[in-house]
Amino acid sequence: MRRTRWIAFASTVVIVGTLTACSSAATVATDGDEMFADRMAAALVQWRSSPSTGPFAYTIPGTAVAASLGDSDVVATASGEGDPGVPLDPGAAFHIGSMTKLFTAALIMQLDQNGALSLDDSIDRWFPAAPGGAGITVRMLLQHESGLAELDFELVGHVTPQELIDQVFTQEPVFAPGTEYEYLNAGYIMLGRIAELATETPYEELIRTKLIQPVGLTSTYLDGEGSGPQAINGFVLVCDAGEGAECLKQYGAVEPQHPSPQWTGAWSAGSMVSSAKDQAVWIRALVGGDVVDAAHLDEMLTLTTNSLDFYAATYDASGVPHVQLGEGAGLATWDIPRVGICHGHAGAIPGSNGIAAFCPDSDLAIVILNAIEPAGLTPGYPGLTPLTEGVLGALGG
């Protein structure tokens, strides 16, 4: 099994141009989906044909996009295939990988609001075996600043979440808590268990009753435990070096994705299934302040010094303009040319690579779900830079 990280950031960054929609007509009518599809058709074909690994150019088999401007309804379109020979439906469900982390972060914020736990709690309250646990807080897990080791990806989907955590605790920490930023899937598995232990309620039930149902999401669930429409399998880039992100800078081939143990094993760090429309509704509700109170939303949005330093150094080393600025307690922030600041999260897992973002300057919610992993060399924001300006124009923004 390849070691997909359910999304972080690629130090090699390309595809910095912007694709425009076919037209920039002014308003979205009642047939908004059809109009949006017409306006985005050429841009999506161009986006899908744009990725390369360096020496090898390939086509993204299928991409679904959903968006809304202001209080207008969410509209969606799709291009290509979701499975071999099957046209991708705009309403298709995808495995969304680390976009799951936004649900986990919002859940922890709600539990802090109601006093079930505190962001300042040290994790030895729940995990006495955690190395240095007395100095690691819940907030540090949310901000990827715990310093703990990463998951053993060979175990993902084959052991319980607690067993994944126990294995991490056998490893030496990689830095002192709070001193650096390093994207860590293990931390969000721990947050899922903390939510369960603090409430004596299963994680799946918590996100379903506190987040999915109140926001009105109809195609979103935790794979392996919840229920909903079956997700597409998608595709994978295969090369001599392995699969997925291992094929960056390699020659490869696009092949159908087979069911992966990561789909259920990623759990609170990456196991949710959702549609582009549902994710557009969700990201607008979350960043718009309908899910957590103002103080907790601010905590999610405020970029940490360590993440600012990390992303600045990464972009400086790659020699391209800074796009991802940093991360707060769950939400990442990007600066998109000619659009402005956008907040959200990306996700990669076998068979898909996507992103959900809300851009307050333009009042735009945008979701891009690609039926392949990876989708180009920007797994931290796949399609956001090339497509967002065109989507805004297609909506009349």
Side-chain angles (χ1 to χ4, degrees):
M1 180 181 70
R2 68 182 180 280
R3 301 186 179 190
T4 299
R5 290 178 60 87
W6 314 325
I7 208 46
F9 174 82
S11 58
T12 305
V13 184
V14 296
I15 314 174
V16 294
T18 300
L19 309 182
T20 56
C22 300
S23 131
S24 58
T27 27
V28 177
T30 53
D31 59 346
D33 287 293
E34 183 177 349
M35 187 178 296
F36 183 63
D38 289 343
R39 293 173 177 174
M40 288 303 301
L44 283 177
V45 170
Q46 187 179 349
W47 156 245
R48 289 176 47 228
S49 64
S50 66
S52 73
T53 71
F56 172 69
Y58 65 98
T59 297
I60 296 170
T63 298
V65 176
S68 67
L69 189 63
D71 294 330
S72 64
D73 292 339
V74 174
V75 292
T77 186
S79 176
E81 299 178 345
D83 290 305
V86 181
L88 182 61
D89 189 285
F94 285 69
H95 302 280
I96 62 170
S98 275
M99 294 158 75
T100 301
K101 289 182 173 69
L102 279 187
F103 289 84
T104 301
L107 173 61
I108 293 294
M109 291 299 179
Q110 286 192 357
L111 296 180
D112 182 71
Q113 282 179 215
N114 66 27
L117 54 76
S118 169
L119 300 184
D120 295 317
D121 285 334
S122 57
I123 67 170
D124 60 346
R125 172 179 171 184
W126 300 281
F127 307 127
I136 300 171
T137 65
V138 172
R139 181 180 283 104
M140 289 176 185
L141 292 179
L142 287 165
Q143 295 174 341
H144 300 289
E145 295 184 351
S146 70
L148 292 168
E150 184 56 288
L151 301 171
D152 180 347
F153 285 86
E154 298 298 327
L155 297 178
V156 173
H158 302 288
V159 300
T160 67
Q162 184 61 55
E163 288 171 322
L164 287 173
I165 294 168
D166 292 341
Q167 194 281 330
V168 169
F169 291 159
T170 68
Q171 308 302 307
E172 287 292 322
V174 295
F175 57 81
T179 63
E180 298 181 36
Y181 167 95
E182 184 170 310
Y183 189 89
L184 189 69
N185 293 292
Y188 273 73
I189 299 282
M190 294 173 200
L191 289 168
R193 282 294 288 144
I194 287 171
E196 289 191 326
L197 295 167
T199 63
E200 299 182 344
T201 306
Y203 172 79
E204 186 279 330
E205 182 179 339
L206 289 169
I207 58 168
R208 174 169 41 83
T209 59
K210 292 181 174 293
L211 301 174
I212 294 171
Q213 291 174 346
V215 175
L217 308 181
T218 59
S219 299
T220 303
Y221 61 96
L222 184 69
D223 199 13
E225 297 183 41
S227 61
Q230 183 174 350
I232 62 169
N233 284 358
F235 298 80
V236 61
L237 191 62
V238 178
C239 61
D240 289 343
E243 298 180 350
E246 295 169 334
C247 293
L248 300 180
K249 300 184 180 180
Q250 304 286 322
Y251 288 96
V254 173
E255 297 184 1
Q257 173 66 55
H258 298 295
S260 169
Q262 293 187 23
W263 290 347
T264 56
W267 201 54
S268 57
S271 280
M272 291 189 73
V273 169
S274 192
S275 66
K277 275 195 171 184
D278 261 17
Q279 285 299 293
V281 171
W282 162 247
I283 197 64
R284 178 176 289 279
L286 178 61
V287 183
D290 295 332
V291 177
V292 299
D293 65 25
H296 287 84
L297 179 59
D298 185 65
E299 184 111 27
M300 296 183 76
L301 288 168
T302 300
L303 304 182
T304 66
T305 299
N306 287 329
S307 73
L308 285 164
D309 291 345
F310 172 85
Y311 285 104
T314 302
Y315 278 105
D316 288 344
S318 68
V320 300
H322 296 205
V323 177
Q324 184 161 350
L325 302 182
E327 191 165 350
L331 280 162
T333 295
W334 304 274
D335 186 2
I336 306 303
R338 295 173 294 279
V339 175
I341 295 297
C342 301
H343 309 289
H345 211 289
I349 201 161
S352 68
N353 191 345
I355 188 166
F358 179 73
C359 311
D361 293 343
S362 54
D363 205 8
L364 171 71
I366 177 172
V367 176
I368 304 161
L369 299 178
N370 301 290
I372 192 170
E373 200 280 308
L377 292 189
T378 56
Y381 46 97
L384 190 65
T385 300
L387 288 172
T388 301
E389 185 183 10
V391 166
L392 187 59
L395 294 176

